[in-house]
Amino acid sequence: MKIGELLKSEFSISFEFFPPKSPEGERELFETIKELEALKPTFVSVTYGAGGSTRDRTRRIAYRIHTETKLTVMAHLTCIAHSKEELLEILQDYKNIGIENILALRGDMPKGDFQAPKGACKYAVELVRFIRENFDNFFSVGVASYPEKHPESPNMEWEIRFFKEKVLAGADFSITQMFFDNSYYYRFVERCHKEGINIPIIPGIMPITNFSQIKKFASMCGATIPQSLVETLEPYAEDPEETTKRGVEFAIRQCEDLIANGVPGLHFYTLNKSRATLLIYQAIKHLIPPKVLSRLC
């Protein structure tokens, strides 16, 4: 099923996974998927490594989810390290196996002395346009958005301008980078509406279970961790149980506020674990609009 169509009529719950590096990691991932499948999410997604480093693993995990579960799956695809011929091959393969949803991304720049292939899509907007030109509307195409701006953007005016270009190129919906202060999301959506951007912008939620790890992630992507949250978590940085408990409590409050303010859905960055996401879902499910809750239960 196409995610863009699903989002027109219902609040979405979705989960993101990354392709494991080992058979044991893959086994554990599918245990997580089995637990979260019981919630009947609108869709799940599978990430793509920097420079296309997980191309085969992303394809394998997406294919397994597509064929072994009843879940709607979206494959992430980064373009910076692929020629257009490679992109065409990857997309045609997804079409052949029946995966209809793509998250179109530039991708992180590979480390070292990197040179993009000649004629490559250098930005996500070019990838969105490439997908539409070659596959028309077969794929529902999602893109990323950055409520606190992309680390490479000089300001929010620049950020909104390039986000709008992705929408005009054919993006159906967007999933945001993680954030911990909802005010950034609300201001971002307001600015988008003023610019005539009206696709669903789904907030990305990162449950905190490891404070050191989250600080690293936040630093890399430019996400602000509120000082009050830092003060709550720092005393328990070496205590995984307390960190998870307090991180989940924060995420519950964050989701409650987002739902109350009419977001189109919630996208959880699971880090291939189910426990924190399940705890959050159980706490907020009574707030989910009735139409989608009847499908989830």
Side-chain angles (χ1 to χ4, degrees):
M1 298 182 69
K2 290 183 171 65
I3 294 170
E5 292 300 315
L6 293 171
L7 293 175
K8 290 179 180 179
S9 61
E10 66 179 53
F11 184 94
S12 73
I13 295 288
S14 53
F15 308 125
E16 182 170 298
F17 310 116
F18 64 83
K21 295 180 180 179
S22 68
E24 176 63 18
E26 189 165 328
R27 184 189 65 77
E28 292 175 354
L29 169 60
F30 275 85
E31 288 178 359
T32 294
I33 289 172
K34 182 178 180 180
E35 291 179 326
L36 293 177
E37 184 180 11
L39 305 185
K40 298 183 181 177
T42 307
F43 66 93
V44 300
S45 70
V46 184
T47 66
Y48 201 78
S53 59
T54 67
R55 172 178 173 176
D56 293 337
R57 284 185 280 135
T58 296
R59 193 265 190 199
R60 184 177 69 253
I61 298 302
Y63 180 71
R64 282 196 62 190
I65 294 172
H66 179 63
T67 57
E68 297 176 19
T69 76
K70 295 181 180 179
L71 297 169
T72 294
V73 63
M74 174 173 67
H76 294 213
L77 178 59
T78 64
C79 63
I80 190 63
H82 287 307
S83 67
K84 288 184 177 177
E85 289 75 16
E86 288 174 324
L87 290 173
L88 197 61
E89 178 185 349
I90 293 167
L91 290 162
Q92 186 62 52
D93 182 48
Y94 280 131
K95 181 178 180 180
N96 290 343
I97 63 179
I99 290 176
E100 301 177 291
N101 303 288
I102 299 291
L103 189 69
L105 306 162
R106 184 198 71 174
D108 296 331
M109 297 295 290
K111 296 179 180 179
D113 187 19
F114 171 75
Q115 291 291 330
K118 186 176 180 180
C121 295
K122 295 182 179 179
Y123 301 99
V125 62
E126 296 176 28
L127 178 56
V128 174
R129 195 174 293 123
F130 180 80
I131 294 171
R132 290 301 184 213
E133 289 173 351
N134 287 278
F135 296 90
D136 194 20
N137 290 317
F138 176 82
F139 292 107
S140 183
V141 180
V143 293
S145 52
Y146 302 85
E148 298 181 66
K149 81 178 182 59
H150 190 280
E152 297 175 23
S153 294
N155 52 53
M156 284 306 299
E157 287 75 17
W158 184 280
E159 186 65 43
I160 296 292
R161 171 190 165 192
F162 281 95
F163 180 50
K164 185 173 183 177
E165 287 190 7
K166 290 190 285 188
V167 175
L168 292 174
D172 295 315
F173 62 95
S174 175
I175 298 172
T176 76
Q177 178 61 267
M178 68 176 186
F179 59 88
F180 301 100
D181 181 340
N182 289 354
S183 65
Y184 286 107
Y185 173 84
Y186 298 139
R187 286 197 295 269
F188 178 75
V189 171
E190 183 179 5
R191 295 184 73 159
C192 286
H193 289 168
K194 288 180 179 178
E195 290 297 321
I197 301 170
N198 294 308
I199 64 170
I201 300 174
I202 304 171
I205 305 300
M206 177 73 83
I208 299 175
T209 58
N210 182 318
F211 189 46
S212 296
Q213 182 186 52
I214 292 299
K215 285 197 295 184
K216 180 180 178 181
F217 288 167
S219 176
M220 290 171 60
C221 69
T224 301
I225 303 178
Q227 185 58 32
S228 60
L229 181 56
V230 172
E231 292 172 358
T232 296
L233 294 175
E234 271 189 335
Y236 306 99
E238 304 302 320
D239 187 334
E241 282 298 315
E242 278 298 320
T243 296
T244 298
K245 176 184 176 182
R246 294 168 189 274
V248 165
E249 288 172 351
F250 177 85
I252 289 169
R253 294 194 299 272
Q254 183 182 16
C255 292
E256 288 173 341
D257 182 73
L258 289 165
I259 293 171
N261 281 278
V263 297
L266 297 168
H267 184 75
F268 292 92
Y269 297 109
T270 69
L271 300 180
N272 290 8
K273 305 293 183 182
S274 61
R275 181 186 173 205
T277 302
L278 284 168
L279 289 171
I280 296 164
Y281 172 79
Q282 290 300 326
I284 66 170
K285 67 178 182 179
H286 67 288
L287 300 174
I288 296 173
K291 181 178 178 180
V292 67
L293 186 58
S294 65
R295 192 177 68 84
L296 290 170
C297 297

